Amino acid sequence: MIRIHSLGYVGYESPRSEDWRDFGPVFGLEVENGPAGAVNLRWDDRPYRLRVIPGELDRIAYLGWEAPNTAAFDEISAGLAALGYPPQDESAELASDRQVRALRSFTDPLGIRHELFYGPLSLDRSFQGTRATTGFKTGPQGLGHAVLAVPDMEIAVAFYEGVLGLRTSDIVNLGPGGEMRFLRTNTRHHSIALWRMHDPVLGLQHLMIESRDLNEVGKVYDVVQASERWQLSSTLGRHTGDEQLSFYTRTPSGFDLELGCDSVDIDEAVWSARYFDNRQGAPNEVWGHRWLDIGAQSSLHPVEE
Ligand SMILES: [Fe+2]
């Protein structure tokens, strides 16, 4: 079975890319200039983990999947080809733009562009957060997680589990809120979650970055609450699924940023997929996470059924 190392980077297109220069540092992220006017957001020694590219719509430009080495890069590619998604070799120029050694790309059945790479440029001990305590859990667990709103759960699961080879950690039935599926590729509880919402929409619902320090999460929570510019989308709380203690803020690009800490690590040898059904009394939260009504997300786009 093909085995992807981690979710390595996200490229996102947005009319408000420039606002990230102010938004990123609130969360301790470093901001640097990317190619062609893009804004690179850093939270470890990679050149970027999120790149926000100027564009007309808030939309995912690409999801970057990391292969641990050349052999895995080829093996994963062969697996994708065998399942009907042959990745295309990308040029050295594009690999250089992404700051990786080698790059291939393919498109999922929902129309999202995926990139497979190995050999990310590493800038050893170069990350400087905005506070002395700022540090994020990445490395073997990748950048954090991304939650995608998908118009068709069956098609999405067939691809993300059946083709990409991600493994189901949890399934959650939200009743009228739809259904979610949490998928992992390493010890992080999920690198991707799929969410079939009440209405069929496609896009990035939120991105999670994980702090190493509970106090860091609390300090940023204070800053966002006191801010007149940035809005909380959810109060502080702890999820039952990944056990993350976190809160959510609306980003300049319509999706939410979840800043968390203290999540569970998955032991592959013993984990068995769980099913939480809200209608049968299974809760999503240990405590907290009160969702605030701050309007629709410009990152989610209606899809014809
Ligand atoms: Fe999350």
Side-chain angles (χ1 to χ4, degrees), residues 130 150 205 227 230 261 266:
T130 50
V150 298
Q205 197 279 323
S227 167
W230 315 118
C261 66
I266 297 277

Side-chain angles (χ1 to χ4, degrees), residues 145 147 190 206 208 248 258:
H145 67 233
V147 175
H190 58 286
H206 77 259
M208 189 284 299
Y248 295 69
E258 178 182 15

Side-chain angles (χ1 to χ4, degrees), residues 49-281:
R49 286 294 194 169
L50 170 65
R51 175 173 288 169
V52 188
I53 305 150
E56 279 179 20
L57 264 187
D58 285 319
R59 57 178 286 275
I60 297 167
Y62 44 82
L63 300 176
W65 296 101
E66 184 166 339
N69 51 51
T70 320
F73 181 67
D74 287 336
E75 195 184 316
I76 294 165
S77 300
L80 289 167
L83 293 167
Y85 293 86
Q88 183 185 320
D89 280 320
E90 293 291 357
S91 66
E93 286 74 25
L94 196 65
S96 160
D97 173 282
R98 302 293 195 260
Q99 295 174 283
V100 298
R101 175 68 182 77
L103 187 72
R104 290 178 181 143
S105 70
F106 51 99
T107 302
D108 76 18
L110 308 168
I112 297 172
R113 176 185 165 92
H114 295 258
E115 296 183 348
L116 177 69
F117 69 94
Y118 79 88
L121 184 70
S122 182
L123 303 167
D124 191 34
R125 278 163 286 207
S126 61
F127 175 68
Q128 303 289 334
T130 50
R131 280 168 288 272
T133 52
T134 303
F136 295 92
K137 213 171 147 189
T138 56
Q141 296 196 332
L143 63 82
H145 67 233
V147 175
L148 308 178
V150 298
D152 188 313
M153 184 60 93
E154 214 171 302
I155 290 173
V157 170
F159 177 79
Y160 285 87
E161 194 174 52
V163 177
L164 267 187
L166 307 184
R167 300 176 293 288
T168 297
S169 297
D170 289 331
I171 300 168
V172 178
N173 192 314
L174 300 164
E179 187 176 86
M180 296 187 73
R181 178 164 310 223
F182 297 81
L183 297 152
R184 69 183 181 279
T185 189
N186 50 50
T187 57
R188 190 181 284 292
H189 174 274
H190 58 286
S191 289
I192 289 281
L194 305 170
W195 187 352
R196 173 54 165 91
M197 295 180 168
H198 181 267
D199 297 316
V201 291
L202 177 66
L204 182 62
Q205 197 279 323
H206 77 259
L207 199 67
M208 189 284 299
I209 57 176
E210 184 166 4
S211 176
R212 295 189 177 280
D213 180 12
L214 169 61
N215 289 331
E216 180 77 7
V217 175
K219 284 177 188 173
V220 179
Y221 190 54
D222 280 352
V223 172
V224 174
Q225 280 182 300
S227 167
E228 290 184 0
R229 187 166 177 199
W230 315 118
Q231 278 186 298
L232 280 184
S233 0
S234 164
T235 62
L236 197 66
R238 190 187 287 278
H239 292 305
T240 46
D242 64 1
E243 301 180 22
Q244 192 97 230
L245 193 155
S246 65
F247 70 94
Y248 295 69
T249 308
R250 184 63 47 86
T251 71
S253 302
F255 63 88
D256 288 342
L257 185 68
E258 178 182 15
L259 176 65
C261 66
D262 196 30
S263 68
V264 70
D265 278 354
I266 297 277
D267 179 350
E268 199 66 42
V270 298
W271 191 271
S272 176
R274 303 177 299 186
Y275 177 48
F276 295 91
D277 189 340
N278 291 182
R279 299 165 306 176
Q280 296 184 57

